[in-house]
Amino acid sequence: MNRILKFIAVLLAAVVLLGVIAAALLPRFIDPNQYRDEITQLVYDQSGLKVSINGPIDWSIFPWVGLSLEDVSIEGANSSQLAQLGSAGVSVKLIPLLSKRIEMQTLELTGLELTLVKNAKGKGNWQVSAPKPSEQQTSRGQEPSSTSTPESATASSPLKLDIASVNVSGLLISYDDQVSKQKYIIDQASLTTGAIRNQQPFDFKLKAHITIPDLVINSLISGEVTFNLEAGRYDIQNLKVSATPDVNKGESLSIVGNVQYQQTPMLVKGNLGVAEFNLANLLNQIKIQLPPMADPKALNKLSFDSHFSTDGESLTADKLQLQLDSFTLDGNFRMSSIDRGDMQFSFTGNDLNLDNYLPPATDNAEAPDEEQSTQSGSEKPSSGKEHPLIPEEMLRGLDLDGSMKLASLTVAKFIFEQPSVDIKAAQGKQEVKIGSRFYQGTIDMTSNLDVRQSGNPKMAASAVLKNISLEALSKPIPDLASLQGDVNAGMKVHTHGQYASVLTKNLNGNIEFKIDKGVFTDANFDKMVCEGVAKIRKKELRATDWGSSTEFTDLSGTFVIKNGIASNDNLIAALAYMNLKGDGYVNLVDRQLDYHMGLNIRGEEAPDSDPACQINKEYVNVTWPVRCHGDLGDLKCGIDVKRLTETIAEIAENRLKKKIEDKVQGPVKDLLKGFFK
């Protein structure tokens, strides 16, 4: 028995020894360079690419299975240069492969150059087809046999990696798009890693110099990776993806964060953000000209941060934070079903001043040329073919429920306090609500859109302005400094259609306004009127305590809109001694206006009127008319001749009636009174 065991041991030792000797001597007796033609032919048959191996091919079997190549070139379509490789080498340890472990020395790739060209017809030089096999080759071939794999063979232990490092250098990729006449180049590219082992973190760094039209940037991707192949988990920490213009002191745009990925069940979570950078400086370096802004430090600070997770079916971002200069916006976002596209979000922010990003105000702005402004203002809308205004298909599938609130919003010097926006959209119906405190009053607006009926969307809007102080509003509008009062207004309109002309023609609703407690603070118009009348009558005013302001007894009006025509018959601005009245219409469909305004002096009808400024009874409440009419871009205003004629005729009639009444007494006088009524 001992002899048998000894014989088997010697036999096994001999087999192992022969294997080692064969592995060591085989590369010496078999030169892989003899198979260049077979290798290039095999590549050509499978891909249609012509490969030339101009340098030596080296290989080894034991203890490392290794292969190295040098000076390899590949031709693309029309014999163009597609790729060039300086050298490549890889070595894998043989024995660990038997237990599905990959132990690899440094993987090196040097001097890889890819030259990609898309010609004027839109075809790339990499688009080649493998040659069709000849009939003889086809006849010699055999149908692939289907062999069943034993279940035990498929159930295998997970793959284990052990790679000393990866080193790729001298990578160059050029892309010439002859259709758009644009060229792109990636050069000086390299990839380096630490030791790649299962469940052990390793560093990686990918750098490249990128040239695109009118821009050259340096890019960097780096981080620390840990993976568990058996559990299907991958973790990237300290991820950084940056792009920096290739200029002196280039401003970097960097995406930073940590990402975790799990295969089963699928889960991706982590935090990603944009590190703080100077956006204005970056745009200037990449030659994007910004318009002048009121705040010279505008766009100097921008950053973003997010915490998110997704299982492929839903998406949750429980933290979203945007920092723009001094403005901060915080919120969250959720999609319960990515397939359905439903979205819920909520954002809150502090003070946002949009004026900082608008052109600075100038006191000596040049006035537009009068002739030019008249011509441009008189231009009528293009009568060309109209296009649909509302993207029905997109809005019909919209599923939204979101809100945003700010501490304040400043636009064109107007300050909106605690503004809020609420948006809801579902099943083809959308609603937007906007509310804000505004100069001691409030603004509330609601708009609705219904796109359920194809080709005929329906829209409605309403707005309510309550107790907005003109005195407070005079701060952003200095021209209102001489006015006081509280503005109250309301609007309700609705329309339907898809084109601008149809929407205008179908517009219906009403707009009303009123100013309560109205006062002119800089002048007493009642005194001015009385002084004028007294001067004409050559009499002295008795009153001396007129005061320096003028109170409105009424300032209000209502516009009724029917089929795109807004009409008004009750505009009134009433003072103690005179009234300004207005009536007319604005045709929004034809862009025409015809509006009448009239001034009348009340005289002795005014309360506590001074005898010196009382006018003749025949002129009391007589309206002296003015008319504006014509195209909205070219209005003509002047005396309303028609109404003035009617006014003069009325005055003459009153005078004639009075003369007759003075001469006729008794029953005849009463009869004439009835005649002139």
Side-chain angles (χ1 to χ4, degrees):
M1 185 66 179
N2 290 333
R3 290 182 178 180
I4 296 175
L5 293 176
K6 186 176 181 180
F7 174 75
I8 294 174
V10 172
L11 182 61
L12 289 175
V15 171
V16 172
L17 181 60
L18 288 174
V20 172
I21 294 173
L25 296 179
L26 192 60
R28 297 178 180 272
F29 293 101
I30 301 178
D31 184 3
N33 291 279
Q34 297 177 354
Y35 299 94
R36 292 174 187 269
D37 295 339
E38 286 81 354
I39 294 173
T40 56
Q41 185 63 43
L42 179 62
V43 173
Y44 178 75
D45 291 342
Q46 297 297 320
S47 65
L49 295 173
K50 296 181 180 180
V51 178
S52 298
I53 305 175
N54 304 313
I57 304 175
D58 292 327
W59 71 308
S60 62
I61 294 181
F62 189 83
W64 298 88
V65 177
L67 177 67
S68 65
L69 300 171
E70 292 184 16
D71 193 8
V72 179
S73 62
I74 302 176
E75 286 187 5
N78 301 320
S79 301
S80 62
Q81 178 71 33
L82 179 60
Q84 181 73 36
L85 174 64
S87 64
V90 61
S91 297
V92 181
K93 211 166 188 178
L94 180 61
I95 299 300
L97 287 176
L98 302 177
S99 57
K100 303 209 73 174
R101 287 174 49 223
I102 298 178
E103 293 186 17
M104 187 182 298
Q105 290 181 325
T106 299
L107 171 62
E108 293 188 354
L109 187 67
T110 304
L112 176 60
E113 298 181 5
L114 298 178
T115 305
L116 309 176
V117 179
K118 180 192 286 187
N119 62 26
K121 296 181 179 180
K123 185 176 181 180
N125 65 337
W126 62 91
Q127 294 176 305
V128 295
S129 301
K132 295 181 180 180
S134 63
E135 294 182 0
Q136 291 181 347
Q137 291 174 329
T138 304
S139 62
R140 292 175 185 172
Q142 296 180 354
E143 293 293 331
S145 59
S146 58
T147 57
S148 59
T149 303
E151 185 177 349
S152 59
T154 59
S156 58
S157 59
L159 187 67
K160 296 182 180 180
L161 290 179
D162 187 346
I163 302 174
S165 64
V166 175
N167 188 359
V168 179
S169 61
L171 176 63
L172 186 150
I173 302 174
S174 65
Y175 175 64
D176 182 6
D177 188 343
Q178 297 179 358
V179 176
S180 62
K181 301 187 184 303
Q182 302 287 339
K183 292 184 178 180
Y184 306 86
I185 298 176
I186 299 176
D187 62 347
Q188 303 175 29
S190 64
L191 170 65
T192 58
T193 73
I196 302 174
R197 296 185 178 92
N198 197 34
Q199 301 187 56
Q200 294 186 23
F202 66 91
D203 297 329
F204 73 94
K205 182 181 292 186
L206 173 63
K207 297 191 296 183
H209 183 261
I210 303 174
T211 303
I212 59 179
D214 302 321
L215 180 62
V216 180
I217 60 175
N218 295 309
S219 64
L220 170 67
I221 303 176
S222 63
E224 184 181 86
V225 178
T226 304
F227 61 85
N228 186 330
L229 295 178
E230 183 176 0
R233 289 197 298 266
Y234 305 85
D235 187 4
I236 303 178
Q237 297 292 318
N238 303 319
L239 174 65
K240 181 178 181 180
V241 181
S242 68
T244 307
D246 191 11
V247 297
N248 184 32
K249 297 182 179 180
E251 189 75 31
S252 293
L253 171 62
S254 300
I255 299 174
V256 295
N258 307 291
V259 179
Q260 297 176 353
Y261 171 69
Q262 176 180 289
Q263 282 182 315
T264 308
M266 178 185 170
L267 178 64
V268 182
K269 64 179 182 179
N271 63 285
L272 287 175
V274 177
E276 182 179 305
F277 70 104
N278 189 320
L279 177 59
N281 193 28
L282 176 63
L283 294 176
N284 181 60
Q285 291 177 356
I286 62 177
K287 300 178 182 179
I288 295 179
Q289 186 68 34
L290 286 173
M293 297 184 185
D295 185 357
K297 295 183 178 180
L299 303 180
N300 277 9
K301 292 182 180 180
L302 178 63
S303 63
F304 176 75
D305 190 20
S306 69
H307 292 180
F308 67 93
S309 64
T310 178
D311 58 3
E313 296 180 356
S314 63
L315 171 65
T316 299
D318 54 15
K319 177 185 177 182
L320 294 172
Q321 185 178 74
L322 173 70
Q323 181 80 38
L324 176 62
D325 298 327
S326 61
F327 173 65
T328 301
L329 187 67
D330 294 282
N332 56 76
F333 176 87
R334 175 177 173 79
M335 295 181 70
S336 56
S337 173
I338 296 176
D339 290 338
R340 290 199 310 268
D342 60 330
M343 292 176 278
Q344 300 89 40
F345 62 87
S346 176
F347 293 100
T348 58
N350 59 351
D351 302 315
L352 175 59
N353 189 340
L354 293 180
D355 287 353
N356 292 339
Y357 307 96
L358 298 176
T362 56
D363 297 331
N364 55 350
E366 295 183 2
D369 182 74
E370 184 175 349
E371 181 180 354
Q372 181 179 356
S373 63
T374 302
Q375 291 177 354
S376 62
S378 62
E379 290 180 0
K380 294 185 178 181
S382 173
S383 58
K385 182 180 179 181
E386 289 188 275
H387 298 281
L389 298 178
I390 302 169
E392 293 183 53
E393 289 299 326
M394 182 192 75
L395 294 174
R396 196 172 290 123
L398 203 59
D399 192 340
L400 271 178
D401 187 357
S403 65
M404 183 170 68
K405 298 179 181 179
L406 302 180
S408 71
L409 174 65
T410 302
V411 182
K413 297 184 180 180
F414 293 105
I415 300 176
F416 298 85
E417 298 178 273
Q418 299 177 1
S420 63
V421 179
D422 291 280
I423 303 175
K424 293 183 183 294
Q427 299 177 350
K429 298 175 69 176
Q430 293 83 36
E431 181 181 71
V432 179
K433 292 184 177 181
I434 300 175
S436 176
R437 293 171 55 189
F438 189 71
Y439 294 94
Q440 302 178 17
T442 59
I443 296 177
D444 291 290
M445 294 184 289
T446 302
S447 64
N448 296 89
L449 176 63
D450 187 341
V451 293
R452 290 176 296 177
Q453 183 180 354
S454 180
N456 188 31
K458 299 176 182 178
M459 287 173 281
S462 62
V464 177
L465 283 68
K466 289 184 178 179
N467 301 323
I468 296 175
S469 170
L470 289 174
E471 185 177 8
L473 199 57
S474 65
K475 186 174 182 180
I477 310 178
D479 291 341
L480 296 179
S482 59
L483 288 174
Q484 291 182 359
D486 295 333
V487 177
N488 292 276
M491 177 192 74
K492 287 185 178 181
V493 294
H494 59 87
T495 185
H496 60 92
Q498 181 59 278
Y499 299 91
S501 60
V502 178
L503 290 169
T504 304
K505 187 176 181 180
N506 293 332
L507 184 63
N508 289 274
N510 61 78
I511 301 172
E512 58 184 8
F513 72 92
K514 184 176 183 180
I515 297 180
D516 295 324
K517 305 174 185 177
V519 178
F520 279 113
T521 59
D522 287 353
N524 191 313
F525 292 106
D526 292 331
K527 179 184 177 183
M528 293 180 183
V529 172
C530 275
E531 286 177 341
V533 174
K535 187 174 182 180
I536 294 174
R537 298 183 65 192
K538 297 181 180 180
K539 293 188 177 183
E540 294 292 332
L541 292 174
R542 297 179 183 178
T544 58
D545 55 344
W546 290 92
S548 60
S549 61
T550 307
E551 293 185 0
F552 290 106
T553 58
D554 190 10
L555 181 55
S556 60
T558 301
F559 284 86
V560 177
I561 306 172
K562 291 184 179 180
N563 299 326
I565 300 176
S567 58
N568 160 260
D569 60 2
N570 64 350
L571 176 65
I572 184 170
L575 308 180
Y577 283 83
M578 63 180 177
N579 292 336
L580 178 66
K581 297 181 179 180
D583 65 90
Y585 69 87
V586 181
N587 190 325
L588 301 174
V589 179
D590 298 330
R591 294 178 56 82
Q592 296 290 316
L593 177 142
D594 192 354
Y595 203 80
H596 305 267
M597 291 175 288
L599 176 68
N600 66 57
I601 301 174
R602 299 177 61 188
E604 63 181 6
E605 285 193 349
D608 303 323
S609 61
D610 192 297
C613 64
Q614 292 179 355
I615 63 175
N616 294 337
K617 290 183 178 181
E618 62 186 15
Y619 293 104
V620 173
N621 290 327
V622 172
T623 300
W624 303 97
V626 175
R627 181 189 181 198
C628 290
H629 63 97
D631 188 270
L632 290 179
D634 187 20
L635 292 176
K636 297 178 176 61
C637 296
I639 298 296
D640 189 341
V641 177
K642 180 180 178 181
R643 290 196 178 185
L644 181 60
T645 302
E646 294 173 353
T647 299
I648 294 174
E650 182 181 353
I651 294 174
E653 179 184 338
N654 290 336
R655 285 183 177 179
L656 176 60
K657 181 172 68 172
K658 189 175 185 307
K659 287 182 180 180
I660 295 175
E661 287 178 347
D662 290 341
K663 293 182 179 180
V664 180
Q665 301 296 328
V668 178
K669 179 179 179 180
D670 295 335
L671 179 63
L672 288 175
K673 279 185 178 180
F675 176 76
F676 284 106
K677 284 184 179 179

